[in-house]
Amino acid sequence: MLKSFSSVSSRSAFVRASSVKRVAGPVYAMAGGQFQFRRGMASESELDLVVIGAGPGGYVAAIKAAQLGLKTACIDKRGPPGGTCLNVGCIPSKALLNNSHLYHQIQHDTKKRGIDVGDVAINLPQFMKAKDDAVTGLTKGIEMLFKQNKVDYYKGTGKFLSANEIEVTGNEGEPSAVLKAKNIIIATGSEATPFPGLEIDEKKIVTSTGAIALQEIPKKMVIIGGGIIGLELGSVWSRLGSEVTVVEYQNAVGAGMDAEISKMIQRSLAKQGLKFKLSTKVLGAEITGETVAVKVDAAKGGKEETLDADVVLVAIGRRPFTEGLGLENIDIDVDERGRLVIDSEYRTKYPHIRVIGDVTFGAMLAHKAEEEGIAAVEYIQAGHGHVNYGAIPSVMYSHPEVAWVGLTEEQVKATGKPYSVGKFPFAANSRAKTNLDTEGWVKMIADKETDRILGIHIMGPNAGEMIAEGVLAIEYGASSEDIARTSHAHPTLSEAFKEAAMATHSKAIHF
C-alpha cells in the first residue's frame, strides 16, 4: 500500500483512499533536451535514470546517480538549472537581503562604529545586476558539474508517454527526444500558491518571482502572508525605503517558528519599520491607476479597511508543480493537495518511478529535496537510503536571522513529558558585543529525564550558520551536556550556543 508523510517527524501514516485521486488533466514538469533526436523517436539505448526537474533535488539526484555509475539524464523546462531556488528563489533573494543589509548598515550603523560616510544612494539597476550575476554564475556551475559527471542535460519540457518513456519537447532552438528509462525521479518542485480573486501580473500584484525583479522601489508595499518568504522580501524593500505592511491571517508570523522566537522577531522587524496586521484576512484587491487597493478585515469579522499600495506581494505559500508532466498518461496518484503519493522509499504506484522535493510530502525546503535526491538514488542503486526528517533545519535570512531544528516548545509541551529549556542572549556574548550586533537569543530544549536535545531555536547574528551544530547534535542524539562540555573558540558567536547548552543542563557562566 502507498503511504504518505505529512510532517518532518512521520512518513509512515497511510493515505486514506478518499484522499487519493487519479490525475486526469494537464500538469507541470521542468524538462530539457540536447541530443539530436527527432521528436517521437526513442533513444538508441535505455537510460538507467531520467530525472525530471533540475532544481536542488533533481540536479543533486542526477549527479549522485552518475557518480554511482548510472547512465543518467536530467530534464528541465526552465533551461538554466537550479530550479526555483537558484533562479528566482533562495539565491537571488539572499543576494538582495545581503546587499540591502549592507546599505542599511551604511545608513544607520557606521557612525557609531567610527566610520563617517557621505551621501549613500541605491543604484537599483546595478543592485539587481549583482543579484543576476550571482544566479548566472551558479547556474553555469551546475551545467559544468553535469558535464564533469557525464549527465545528459535536456532543456525542454518532459512528459510521460508511458511509465518508462519520457517525451522531451525542446525549448526554442533545442532538439526534442523520447527517452526510455529503467528508473525515473520526478523532482518538478512547486509554484507560488495563488490568492483567490487576485490576478497576478508580476508588476503590481506579484509573487516572490516579481518581488525580486521590481524595476523601482515602491513607496508602499502590502505583503499578504507573514511566513518566511513574505518577511524576507519585506525586509529587503523596507531597507530600501518602502513602507511595508504585512497582513497575516494567523495571530503570529513565521509559520513553524517557536512561538517565543516568533514574537521576538516580529518586535525586531517592527523596530526596523515593518508594520503588521495579524489575525487579519484579505477580502480582495483592485488595481486603480498606479496603486492597488487591498481590502482587509479582522479574521473573525469586524470593520473593513482599505490599504493602498504600489505593489502587493502574495506570499501565502507554495503548491506542487506538475502541469504538463503527463501524469494522466500513467494514472499516477495524487492527494487532495496535489502532492504525488509515495511510500517510505519515494516510490509511486510504479516501483521504478520515485518522487522527491516540493512536489510530494514534507517541508518545502531546498536542502530537504537535496537529501531526498541522494537517498532516492541510493535506494535505486543499493536498496537503502536515509533522511532524518527530525533533523532538517529551517532558516529565515532577515536580520537578525532566525534558525531552528527539531521541535518547538509548543510541540514538546503537547507531549506531556517533562523538559528543560536553556537560553542565552547574544547581548552577553563577547563577539556579538564587539560586533555591535547583540539582538537575539539561543534557546535549547531537552528531555528532562535523558537530557537529549529535542529542539534548538536561534534568533541572532549568523543563526543560519550556527544551526548546523544543532542539526548535528540532533542527528547524533546529543545531550545538552555533550555540547556544554565541548570547547568552543573564543571569542565567537558560537559560544552563545555552548552557553545555552550549559543553561539547559545546569547554569550558564556569563549570564
Side-chain angles (χ1 to χ4, degrees):
M1 180 180 287
L2 295 172
K3 298 179 287 183
S4 74
F5 58 98
S6 57
S7 70
V8 295
S9 60
S10 174
R11 293 186 52 196
S12 60
F14 286 90
V15 176
R16 295 179 182 177
S18 61
S19 70
V20 177
K21 60 184 178 181
R22 302 295 186 187
V23 174
V27 252
Y28 205 78
M30 312 174 84
Q34 289 191 348
F35 286 178
Q36 298 299 320
F37 298 132
R38 294 181 182 177
R39 188 174 181 182
M41 293 184 63
S43 58
E44 293 181 2
S45 60
E46 188 175 39
L47 293 159
D48 294 314
L49 174 65
V50 168
V51 181
I52 308 176
Y59 87 73
V60 167
I63 290 172
K64 182 64 176 180
Q67 290 174 343
L68 293 178
L70 300 181
K71 187 177 180 182
T72 304
C74 186
I75 308 166
D76 197 283
K77 175 179 182 175
R78 192 184 303 274
T84 295
C85 177
L86 174 48
N87 287 278
V88 292
C90 320
I91 298 302
S93 66
K94 301 313 164 283
L96 298 182
L97 280 159
N98 181 68
N99 294 340
S100 65
H101 177 58
L102 289 175
Y103 173 66
H104 189 268
Q105 276 192 309
I106 293 170
Q107 280 189 314
H108 301 283
D109 295 344
T110 55
K111 195 171 187 65
K112 63 184 178 182
R113 298 172 188 270
I115 304 171
D116 293 328
V117 180
D119 293 337
V120 181
I122 279 289
N123 180 336
L124 194 60
Q126 184 61 37
F127 185 80
M128 290 297 181
K129 183 178 182 300
K131 169 207 64 173
D132 295 338
D133 288 346
V135 170
T136 300
L138 289 169
T139 57
K140 289 181 177 178
I142 294 173
E143 292 204 51
M144 181 60 68
L145 289 173
F146 279 157
K147 291 180 181 179
Q148 290 175 351
N149 288 280
K150 296 180 173 58
V151 174
D152 298 330
Y153 183 45
Y154 290 78
K155 297 179 179 179
T157 301
K159 179 180 179 180
F160 279 96
L161 296 179
S162 68
N164 289 92
E165 290 182 312
I166 303 295
E167 179 185 49
V168 181
T169 303
N171 294 342
E172 185 177 352
E174 296 287 346
S176 300
V178 172
L179 307 180
K180 188 174 182 181
K182 298 174 185 175
N183 296 280
I184 298 168
I185 292 178
I186 301 172
T188 50
S190 61
E191 64 179 346
T193 301
F195 193 96
L198 297 190
E199 185 176 346
I200 304 294
D201 63 5
E202 297 297 10
K203 293 180 180 179
K204 288 293 184 182
I205 301 178
V206 303
T207 65
S208 57
T209 299
I212 63 168
L214 297 178
Q215 298 302 302
E216 59 183 35
I217 300 170
K219 293 179 180 178
K220 292 184 178 181
M221 172 181 277
V222 169
I223 298 175
I224 304 175
I228 305 302
I229 294 173
L231 296 181
E232 286 187 347
L233 292 174
S235 294
V236 169
W237 294 107
S238 175
R239 292 168 186 165
L240 299 185
S242 297
E243 180 183 313
V244 175
T245 301
V246 178
V247 181
E248 169 57 48
Y249 186 80
Q250 303 298 328
N251 64 354
V253 300
M257 283 184 193
D258 181 270
E260 184 177 20
I261 299 294
S262 171
K263 291 176 182 177
M264 289 168 58
I265 191 60
Q266 183 188 335
R267 287 195 297 267
S268 177
L269 293 175
K271 286 191 298 183
Q272 296 173 36
L274 276 73
K275 299 177 181 178
F276 293 91
K277 287 187 173 293
L278 305 184
S279 301
T280 301
K281 60 184 175 182
V282 174
L283 304 176
E286 182 180 357
I287 299 176
T288 55
E290 294 300 313
T291 62
V292 185
V294 183
K295 292 184 178 181
V296 301
D297 193 3
K300 296 182 179 179
K303 186 178 179 180
E304 290 186 16
E305 181 183 0
T306 299
L307 306 175
D308 292 324
D310 300 290
V311 173
V312 174
L313 166 59
V314 178
I316 59 173
R318 298 183 66 81
R319 65 182 183 183
F321 187 54
T322 54
E323 185 181 344
L325 188 50
L327 296 184
E328 70 278 7
N329 294 332
I330 55 174
D331 194 30
I332 208 165
D333 296 332
V334 301
D335 74 357
E336 70 283 355
R337 293 171 59 182
R339 299 175 298 189
L340 303 192
V341 177
I342 57 175
D343 67 9
S344 61
E345 296 182 12
Y346 310 102
R347 296 174 297 195
T348 63
K349 60 184 285 187
Y350 301 95
H352 70 286
I353 300 177
R354 300 177 195 256
V355 186
I356 62 171
D358 289 4
V359 76
T360 189
F361 306 98
M364 289 185 171
L365 297 169
H367 43 281
K368 173 257 194 186
E370 290 183 20
E371 298 303 319
E372 290 179 336
I374 291 174
V377 169
E378 289 175 336
Y379 275 120
I380 292 170
Q381 177 72 355
H384 56 80
H386 166 76
V387 177
N388 181 354
Y389 289 91
I392 302 291
S394 295
V395 183
M396 184 170 82
Y397 297 89
S398 52
H399 190 87
E401 292 182 348
V402 180
W404 67 96
V405 65
L407 302 178
T408 65
E409 186 172 356
E410 293 70 44
Q411 290 171 326
V412 174
K413 187 179 294 184
T415 68
K417 296 181 179 180
Y419 63 93
S420 302
V421 175
K423 304 174 189 175
F424 191 83
F426 283 100
N429 174 265
S430 58
R431 184 65 186 273
K433 289 183 74 70
T434 301
N435 293 347
L436 301 180
D437 195 1
T438 59
E439 190 172 11
W441 294 69
V442 179
K443 175 179 180 179
M444 201 168 290
I445 308 167
D447 185 295
K448 198 169 188 66
E449 296 177 354
T450 66
D451 194 35
R452 184 170 182 166
I453 295 170
L454 302 174
I456 296 170
H457 307 269
I458 308 171
M459 173 183 138
N462 284 358
E465 303 293 338
M466 194 181 299
I467 199 62
E469 184 176 359
V471 175
L472 193 64
I474 288 181
E475 178 67 36
Y476 284 92
S479 66
S480 66
E481 183 182 5
D482 289 330
I483 297 174
R485 293 187 179 278
T486 300
S487 179
H488 289 61
H490 174 77
T492 62
L493 297 171
S494 69
E495 288 179 286
F497 194 90
K498 173 185 170 76
E499 292 262 14
M502 295 174 73
T504 306
H505 174 66
S506 178
K507 286 186 178 181
I509 295 295
H510 295 96
F511 180 70

